[in-house]
Amino acid sequence: MKVIVTENYDEMSKKAAEVIAEVIKADENAVLGLATGTTPIGLYKELIDKCAKKEISFKNIKTVNLDEYVGLPKGHVQSYDYFMKDNLFNHVDIDLANTNLPNGIAADLDAECARYTALLNKMRQSIQLLGIGSNGHIGFNEPKTPFDSTTHIVNLTESTIKDNSRLFDDISEVPTKAITMGIANIMNAKKILVVANGENKAKAVYNMVKGPVTEDCPASVLQKHEDVIVIVDKKAAALL
Ligand code: GLP
């Protein structure tokens, strides 16, 4: 695990965008595993900028997203589908047909989980971007999720619902379920990039990097992956 500590959020975003840009430059057909949340917004802006300057192109890039809420209607502003279009896809030269997210409104969610895992097995991520929840979750793999899990439906923990409620008008509007890549699907990526900023992530970052490898902290499993880069600002690195 390579850990890079930056002065602030902007530097974290720039460095993380560099890592993804290098993957794109090395392979114009790369498969990017993407994440939502507030943390990656800055690095997506950097990628948009690099694309505008023609340093990189998404023309043949394929993407697979980590997760999606269950039950939000298509086009809902809080859906991760909307987030990805709003923060990245609509601003780069990507073919939307090459972008993939789990479908949180599929009639048969079990079948959707199986479909998404089959897709991931076929498309193995060249790089998987991850944020981290304050309880150490990755994607929506909450504490105690088995390390061998594949795409599944989760009941979100109270702490995650509370964390994510800041983006909704009212906490009662936050979905209580989500569909997420499992930990095995994440670990199958060739390379993993984790970004985190702010003091509320310091404990989770410590547990991910220095804590025991345990299902109590899903992100700790990353210690077992051979190619992980963690880029965190100094507030998130405070306990390291
Ligand atoms: C959500 C997402 C995660 C994300 C986490 C942290 O629960 N499912 O993929 O990493 O929140 O989000 P933020 O970056 O907004 O702190």
Side-chain angles (χ1 to χ4, degrees):
M1 212 179 234
K2 183 176 169 196
V3 181
I4 299 172
V5 181
T6 66
E7 256 328 284
N8 52 39
Y9 178 78
D10 285 349
E11 195 192 339
M12 178 205 82
S13 302
K14 282 200 170 69
K15 285 208 152 68
E18 259 321 303
V19 173
I20 296 179
E22 286 312 314
V23 171
I24 295 175
K25 285 178 195 165
D27 177 8
E28 60 166 0
N29 297 302
V31 177
L32 306 182
L34 298 178
T36 56
T38 43
T39 316
I41 292 176
L43 81 87
Y44 288 151
K45 285 206 175 93
E46 295 289 335
L47 290 176
I48 291 167
D49 196 43
K50 286 179 188 297
C51 189
K53 290 182 182 150
K54 307 239 180 290
E55 285 172 29
I56 53 170
S57 167
F58 288 78
K59 217 161 177 286
N60 298 309
I61 293 295
K62 292 171 191 61
T63 68
V64 284
N65 258 80
L66 277 172
D67 48 13
E68 177 60 284
Y69 286 119
V70 165
L72 289 184
K74 212 173 168 44
H76 191 288
V77 291
Q78 298 300 349
S79 70
Y80 289 167
D81 179 61
Y82 182 96
F83 175 100
M84 289 311 303
K85 287 179 180 142
D86 198 34
N87 288 290
L88 182 65
F89 299 157
N90 286 351
H91 312 288
V92 294
D93 58 346
I94 200 162
D95 179 352
L96 278 183
N98 287 336
T99 67
N100 299 277
L101 281 97
N103 177 7
I105 48 169
D108 182 343
L109 287 169
D110 289 339
E112 176 58 11
C113 291
R115 179 195 74 85
Y116 207 66
T117 286
L119 183 84
L120 294 169
N121 289 337
K122 212 171 75 190
M123 294 181 57
R124 188 170 181 214
Q125 307 94 306
S126 313
I127 186 166
Q128 176 64 56
L129 171 64
L130 297 174
I132 183 168
S134 61
N135 62 359
H137 75 243
I138 46 177
F140 267 131
N141 293 285
E142 298 280 25
K144 305 266 189 235
T145 305
F147 284 163
D148 62 358
S149 56
T150 55
T151 312
H152 60 286
I153 303 296
V154 282
N155 292 314
L156 300 178
T157 63
E158 246 178 72
S159 88
T160 298
I161 292 174
K162 200 164 150 266
D163 283 355
N164 291 2
S165 67
R166 70 189 190 283
L167 303 168
F168 288 77
D169 289 338
D170 189 272
I171 192 162
S172 64
E173 290 173 20
V174 186
T176 55
K177 283 181 194 290
I179 176 168
T180 183
M181 264 186 212
I183 292 179
N185 303 128
I186 293 172
M187 291 293 280
N188 194 40
K190 292 178 198 154
K191 186 183 192 76
I192 295 180
L193 168 63
V194 189
V195 285
N197 70 294
E199 58 206 9
N200 67 321
K201 298 291 173 71
K203 192 157 173 271
V205 167
Y206 174 85
N207 286 335
M208 166 175 68
V209 177
K210 296 214 165 139
V213 176
T214 161
E215 289 173 356
D216 291 336
C217 175
S220 67
V221 74
L222 300 174
Q223 292 176 31
K224 291 183 155 181
H225 192 285
E226 59 182 21
D227 189 1
V228 178
I229 305 181
V230 177
I231 307 183
V232 290
D233 77 345
K234 60 182 183 194
K235 288 184 180 156
L239 301 175
L240 292 180

